[in-house]
Amino acid sequence: MTHINMYYQTQLPTYLIRKKMFLRYIASVAALNLVWEILQLPLYTLWNESAPVVIAFSVVHCTLGDVLIATISFIAALILLGGKIWPLDRHWRVALMAGAMGFFYTVFSEWNNTVITRTWAYSSLMPTLWGIGLSPLLQWLLIPALAFWRLSKQTAETRV
């Protein structure tokens, strides 16, 4: 009995691990999306048609939007699939669900903003698939996957 009590006393409470991992995920996603948004600027007409202050605002706006999408997707995935001891269990289920939600929202958003409302437009440099830019699709495949992969490494370190 003493051995079991000592084991649980040396482990971080699950809610602290969850909070720590959630904040790490959001920080990673924010940093990676900021870089991605800057790098993909030439793929949008904004790059050639707008003043630097408008471009800077757009980068900040889009990065914050990406963080919001990632946060909502992650919270929804945790609610639907997380279980009580995530991230120690069901890590990849949550990762897949959160990534899929972000990806499918992006498909809708890109279509809505480039075809329906015409809020923004792609430059001739943007490769498209069925009229949707490949760069934002790759963004939502790669960035959540990379952030969750990094989290899985940190979760493994937390268990030790």
Side-chain angles (χ1 to χ4, degrees):
M1 187 68 158
T2 305
H3 175 69
I4 293 171
N5 287 338
M6 287 178 59
Y7 173 77
Y8 285 110
Q9 289 173 356
T10 60
Q11 296 296 309
L12 279 175
T14 305
Y15 72 91
L16 288 178
I17 294 170
R18 288 170 73 112
K19 182 178 177 183
K20 185 177 179 181
M21 292 299 137
F22 178 78
L23 293 174
R24 283 182 177 177
Y25 175 77
I26 297 305
S28 293
V29 164
L32 291 169
N33 274 299
L34 175 62
V35 171
W36 193 285
E37 292 295 343
I38 292 167
L39 292 176
Q40 75 175 353
L41 278 170
L43 303 176
Y44 291 88
T45 56
L46 170 87
W47 178 247
N48 291 319
E49 298 174 357
S50 300
V53 69
V54 173
I55 294 170
F57 174 81
S58 295
V59 167
V60 171
H61 176 266
C62 291
T63 301
L64 291 175
D66 293 333
V67 171
L68 182 62
I69 294 165
T71 301
I72 292 169
S73 298
F74 191 17
I75 289 171
L78 280 174
I79 290 168
L80 294 172
L81 299 174
K84 292 185 179 186
I85 61 168
W86 181 92
L88 302 176
D89 186 33
R90 300 181 180 188
H91 177 78
W92 290 110
R93 287 182 192 176
V94 170
L96 261 160
M97 177 64 83
M101 286 182 193
F103 179 83
F104 287 115
Y105 175 78
T106 298
V107 169
F108 166 76
S109 178
E110 289 291 316
W111 169 78
N112 185 57
N113 285 293
T114 59
V115 175
I116 302 302
T117 64
R118 299 187 186 271
T119 308
W120 64 72
Y122 302 131
S123 77
S124 61
L125 300 174
M126 175 71 84
T128 60
L129 183 63
W130 298 301
I132 298 171
L134 286 182
S135 181
L137 298 181
L138 283 174
Q139 177 180 4
W140 280 95
L141 288 174
L142 297 176
I143 289 178
L146 182 59
F148 274 113
W149 174 78
R150 184 169 175 247
L151 264 189
S152 73
K153 297 293 183 195
Q154 293 169 341
T155 302
E157 293 169 6
T158 303
R159 289 182 194 179
V160 176

